[in-house]
Amino acid sequence: DTAVSQTPKYLVTQMGNDKSIKCEQNLGHDTMYWYKQDSKKFLKIMFSYNNKELIINETVPNRFSPKSPDKAHLNLHINSLELGDSAVYFCASSQVRTSGNGEQYFGPGTRLTVT
Amino acid sequence: KNQVEQSPQSLIILEGKNCTLQCNYTVSPFSNLRWYKQDTGRGPVSLTIMTFSENTKSNGRYTATLDADTKQSSLHITASQLSDSASYICVVSAKNNTGKLIFGQGTTLQVKP
């Protein structure tokens, strides 16, 4: 069974559209994350939720809105897509509150291409 | 500012050879340092995690070292294989309860036959 799964794996869309990426983890972790990996391969944290509560919110345009219906899911909704949003988006999860090292497990990524 | 810098940016070695990747960080207060392997088109996978008190940790042919005084870490790969071709990312965690990680830019390793 896949520990952290994301859908879709590839997403091609036009500027101005609204799209969502879904993430689910079956590890029983209390914290989930969204990362953006740009063309230079740098991974940057965007958001983090702990038990459905937003705990990390980096400087990200308001067009990006995370939603956590329960602690096993963290979806990313993007409004009015722009060319610069093209990147690979990774979801991750970890057990932060009770685990010493909070090992993060990453999903396979969603490659978003905005044309 | 919390930063993680890696060198070299890229590396090409022949199959069977050893190599060492470097990582310097300025994250404070330090909690732990991780090395991740990221294959092309996949998410990062953890290789090792070291806390302040650990100065070496091995995972098969991968051995990571940590010098918390100089804030340096290295990842040594022994007897490289073609499947080692990937990006290797050094990641540092600061002491807090949010789980936030600071990523280096990665070293791209290519192992040639």
Side-chain angles (χ1 to χ4, degrees), chain A residues 29-31 33 35 92-106, chain B residues 31-32 34 36 46 49 51 91 93 96-101:
Chain A
H29 288 162
D30 60 7
T31 305
Y33 311 80
Y35 289 88
S93 75
S94 70
Q95 185 66 19
V96 173
R97 298 292 184 184
T98 57
S99 171
N101 60 36
E103 175 65 76
Q104 289 195 16
Y105 293 82
F106 286 80
Chain B
S31 177
N32 58 65
R34 311 145 189 246
Y36 280 87
S46 179
I49 297 177
T51 59
V91 185
S93 174
N96 55 53
N97 62 356
T98 66
K100 181 178 177 180
L101 304 178

Side-chain angles (χ1 to χ4, degrees), chain A residues 36-44 88, chain B residues 4 103-106:
Chain A
K36 179 180 180 181
Q37 188 171 41
D38 58 25
S39 57
K40 294 183 179 179
K41 304 294 185 182
F42 247 122
L43 269 157
K44 293 183 181 178
V88 182
Chain B
V4 177
F103 287 75
Q105 79 276 29

Side-chain angles (χ1 to χ4, degrees), chain B:
Chain B
K1 183 180 178 182
N2 289 331
Q3 284 188 314
V4 177
E5 294 185 353
Q6 293 183 240
S7 63
Q9 189 171 0
S10 62
L11 184 60
I12 300 174
I13 62 173
L14 293 176
E15 187 178 11
K17 297 297 185 183
N18 304 335
C19 67
T20 301
L21 314 179
Q22 302 291 345
C23 173
N24 297 331
Y25 62 92
T26 58
V27 178
S28 182
F30 175 85
S31 177
N32 58 65
L33 184 145
R34 311 145 189 246
W35 282 93
Y36 280 87
K37 179 186 179 188
Q38 185 176 19
D39 291 311
T40 301
R42 300 202 164 194
V45 175
S46 179
L47 294 174
T48 63
I49 297 177
M50 289 182 290
T51 59
F52 185 88
S53 60
E54 297 174 294
N55 55 23
T56 187
K57 184 162 278 190
S58 292
N59 178 359
R61 294 178 297 101
Y62 301 103
T63 299
T65 64
L66 173 64
D67 186 334
D69 291 331
T70 61
K71 298 187 177 181
Q72 295 179 327
S73 176
S74 65
L75 180 69
H76 186 74
I77 304 175
T78 305
S80 61
Q81 299 176 358
L82 297 179
S83 60
D84 292 332
S85 296
S87 286
Y88 292 84
I89 307 172
C90 177
V91 185
V92 181
S93 174
K95 264 187 187 167
N96 55 53
N97 62 356
T98 66
K100 181 178 177 180
L101 304 178
I102 296 104
F103 287 75
Q105 79 276 29
T107 292
T108 301
L109 174 65
Q110 186 177 358
V111 180
K112 289 192 169 183

